Amino acid sequence: MLSTTKYGSFVAINHFRSYPADLIFTFFTILGNGVILIPLAGLFIWKKNYEVLIGVLLAILLNTLFVSILKHAFDLPRPLASYGEHIVRTAHWIKLHTKYAFPSGHTALAFCLGSYLSLSFYRYRNITVLCFFSAALVGYSRIYLGQHFLRDVWLGSLLGVLIAIFTFRLVQYTATKLAMKRNRDANQ
């Protein structure tokens, strides 16, 4: 699919449709809106896992900032603006957008969150698999529902992963420095 044209890869995904798939991919696109962050934040607060909570929030904040900057800097059209209603297909309840396609914010958010959680809970292989499988389905849903091209999703996923890695390392570094300072202060 990567060797085909922008049009060819879009049509191959967007035109392979069914009503159950419309429902499933609408669910995954909603996950990419960030609604999962509210219950996750509640879970981390309840478990008193503030380091992961702060890291996730910082990663999402940086991700949102970078996606917004790139969307406005490139200002690329979405499939509807490029090909029109006669080519782009979607579920009847989805409102198609025409501007700011690059990168996919839903995909970037899903991969950022999934990557950060995978790094934080790397010992739990099931979490990693669930996070990346869900993130991939969010990305696929954006093309399937007619909102993005493959390149938008690909860059969104790459951006999300890179921001998560950067933020995770920053949080780990800061936590280590603070722990060393507390130990030094306690020993004096």
Side-chain angles (χ1 to χ4, degrees):
M1 198 172 330
L2 291 174
S3 65
T4 187
T5 64
K6 178 173 86 168
Y7 176 82
S9 62
F10 174 77
V11 168
I13 295 170
N14 181 252
H15 287 207
F16 191 69
R17 310 196 65 76
S18 72
Y19 183 74
D22 287 354
L23 295 173
I24 291 166
F25 291 121
T26 297
F27 169 77
F28 280 100
T29 245
I30 291 169
L31 278 184
N33 281 341
V35 296
I36 192 74
L37 292 173
I38 295 168
L40 269 179
L43 176 66
F44 293 138
I45 291 168
W46 180 59
K47 293 284 193 177
K48 296 183 178 14
N49 196 338
Y50 301 116
E51 186 177 312
V52 173
L53 175 64
I54 289 168
V56 164
L57 294 176
L58 180 59
I60 297 305
L61 180 67
L62 287 174
N63 182 73
T64 303
L65 177 67
F66 276 97
V67 166
S68 182
I69 289 169
L70 290 172
K71 279 184 177 289
H72 287 85
F74 286 102
D75 190 21
L76 293 176
R78 291 185 187 237
L80 182 62
S82 296
Y83 303 132
E85 290 179 3
H86 63 286
I87 297 292
V88 180
R89 299 179 182 164
T90 196
H92 67 84
W93 54 83
I94 300 292
K95 180 186 182 317
L96 290 173
H97 301 286
T98 57
K99 296 179 71 176
Y100 305 120
F102 189 73
S104 167
H106 286 73
T107 307
L109 178 72
F111 274 92
C112 183
L113 179 60
S115 298
Y116 198 93
L117 293 175
S118 295
L119 290 166
S120 298
F121 302 106
Y122 67 92
R123 290 187 178 122
Y124 304 99
R125 190 68 77 196
N126 292 342
I127 290 176
T128 300
V129 170
L130 178 64
C131 287
F132 281 101
F133 185 69
S134 297
L137 288 174
V138 168
Y140 187 89
S141 78
R142 302 307 288 158
I143 303 167
Y144 177 88
L145 292 172
Q147 296 287 19
H148 285 285
F149 295 109
L150 182 60
R151 62 139 202 256
D152 309 331
V153 168
W154 186 86
L155 183 66
S157 64
L158 179 63
L159 184 64
V161 169
L162 292 175
I163 289 172
I165 292 169
F166 170 79
T167 308
F168 181 79
R169 296 221 172 159
L170 178 66
V171 168
Q172 292 296 303
Y173 175 79
T174 304
T176 302
K177 288 294 185 186
L178 288 173
M180 289 171 54
K181 184 177 181 329
R182 275 193 300 265
N183 286 339
R184 241 190 342 258
D185 292 346
N187 291 331
Q188 290 179 352

